[in-house]
Amino acid sequence: MATYSTNEFKSGLKIMLDGDPYAIVENEFVKPGKGQAFNRVKVRNLKTGRVIERTFKSGDTAEGADVVDVELQYLYSDGEYWHFMDQQSYEQLTADAAAVGDAAKWLKEEAICQVTLWNGVPLNVAAPNFVIMTIVETDPGLRGDTSGGGGKPATLETGAVVRVPLFVQSGEVIKVDTRTGEYVSRVKE
Amino acid sequence: MERPTWRPGADLATLRLRAGLLTRVRAFFAARGVLEVETPMLSVAAVTEPNLASFGTVYSGPGSRHGRTLYLHTSPEFPMKRLLAAGSGCIYQIARVFRDGEAGRRHNPEFTLLEWYRVGFDHHRLMDEVTELVTALLAGRLPLAQPERLSYRELFQRHLDLNPHRASVAELAARAETQGVSIPPGMPTDRTDPWLDLLLTHYIEPRLGAGRLTFVYDYPASQAALARLGPGDPPVGERFELYVNGVELANGFHELGNAAEQRRRFEAENATRRGLGWPLMPVDENLLAALAAGLPDCAGVALGFDRLVMLAAGKTTLAEVLAFPFERA
């Protein structure tokens, strides 16, 4: 993997620190008029999401991290691992619970997900921004209420629970924004 | 190829403010009988300080058939001292200077220095005058409390409870650790200056000069640059820096007039460069000859004019006060 000089640092660049892959969030050049120059960077740990601060002497280098974002199709979960497929090469990749995280509850078979790979292994899985799912259980709403005010919990086919308007019923298909976990609309089959 | 960005970085109000401040700077010095001068930007000699990188270019033409390397100045200090030695009396210059490798929120590889020399002043008297000028220029734009002055030693004692002149690399590293300052890989183990710079830039500077002018004076002898050494145990460089709102604004010296000592420092700086594998720079023999002929007792200061405009305009980046910052030049 390539090394990067501090002169190449910019937000988004992926580098290795202490054995973990990081993305540069912010890069600041600091230097006393007559003193040593430093690059003070904020970096996000791509495994934990935690942002920390690191300093380099200007002109020094950091090892690049082999991190790429790819689109993979979700196949199934065996309870311990989540299995994905590269639709071009038909190669199958396995993600663990740490990589899938909260995305798990939005994963429906055949969904196309953005997966971050580190050295070819899934590091992070992002659910599609919008998913279409069937409601498997919700309390019957009050007849005639179409205002959408109030709302009630509804359990979806993947087990995720979202708040839906009172008029939405079990068996209906809805669209959900996975970034906020909010109901968007009903979907006609 | 990136899309052309022909528009200026600074808005017109800021450019007007900038022009107004330049006019007031000239009036300030005219009223005090300080002479405005201009000196060359290009020279066969260059600064030797390891932490300053000069741009080089090549002159080809009459007198130089095969081309001659010339350096763009990083400050007009050397020729201004030659004028002082030639009997100019007090002088000032508003100079565009160039420093390779320096680009960021508060750095632009070319920038404007206001540099002036006062014959018969020491660094404390010059701090008085810097206070008058900066206070006048920021009046009504930045509310300022009474200025404060503290020595480099007091600065480190106040903020980090350690003596910068005595602390070892191990002590400085330990203090960085306890204060949560990230220690870069590859810090030297044989010199304390980079460690002092680390603590200064990462921990102390952001806390300096909040709503007031803060002068720091009497630097470690190893950071004296072109300042004379004053009494003390250990002796300190009679140098000062001005900070306002965490921004390093000016650097001044009670000027070293001893040619032999100046030559020794230039050579030591080139030796440091050699040790780091960096290019050696040609020493300014004209300056050394001028010092040998006799530099009047004087103090001089260089003030980052763009940073001053930035503070006056209430901006946070140099790109907002330059007509065309580096990225758009």
Side-chain angles (χ1 to χ4, degrees), chain B residues 158-182:
Chain B
R158 179 192 285 187
H159 289 278
L160 293 163
D161 192 29
L162 56 77
N163 180 344
H165 304 303
R166 299 280 185 218
S168 65
V169 163
E171 286 170 291
L172 294 168
R175 195 54 49 92
E177 193 109 18
T178 55
Q179 300 302 331
V181 172
S182 156

Side-chain angles (χ1 to χ4, degrees), chain B residues 253-285:
Chain B
F253 302 132
H254 191 188
E255 302 293 349
L256 176 67
N258 182 326
E261 166 66 9
Q262 187 63 71
R263 181 183 293 281
R264 195 194 60 73
R265 290 191 199 174
F266 283 162
E267 284 168 0
E269 286 167 351
N270 262 337
T272 302
R273 287 178 164 270
R274 190 181 295 116
L276 294 166
W278 297 348
L280 306 192
M281 302 311 285
V283 165
D284 193 338
E285 292 295 341

Side-chain angles (χ1 to χ4, degrees), chain A residues 158-169:
Chain A
T158 57
V161 177
V162 296
R163 285 197 80 74
V164 298
L166 297 176
F167 60 80
V168 178
Q169 303 302 338

Side-chain angles (χ1 to χ4, degrees), chain B residues 10-85:
Chain B
D11 57 36
L12 280 177
T14 305
L15 293 179
R16 284 194 197 98
L17 170 68
R18 188 181 173 105
L21 291 172
L22 278 174
T23 304
R24 287 167 64 190
V25 165
R26 290 198 160 95
F28 179 92
F29 288 113
R32 283 167 168 75
V34 180
L35 180 71
E36 178 165 9
V37 298
E38 293 181 284
T39 57
M41 289 186 185
L42 289 170
S43 172
V44 292
V47 67
T48 48
E49 283 178 48
N51 290 318
L52 288 177
S54 302
F55 284 97
T57 185
V58 176
Y59 166 78
S60 312
S64 183
R65 182 180 165 192
H66 300 292
R68 182 166 24 148
T69 297
L70 295 176
Y71 297 94
L72 285 160
H73 67 174
T74 59
S75 98
E77 179 151 8
F78 297 171
M80 287 183 85
K81 282 181 172 167
R82 288 162 65 192
L83 287 176
L84 287 157

Side-chain angles (χ1 to χ4, degrees), chain A residues 28 31 33-34 36 55 57, chain B residues 51 105 182 186 197 202 248:
Chain A
E28 185 171 24
K31 179 183 184 304
K34 298 204 168 285
Q36 170 75 47
T55 295
K57 285 189 294 155
Chain B
N51 290 318
R105 220 153 49 89
S182 156
D197 286 339
H202 286 61
E248 181 192 359

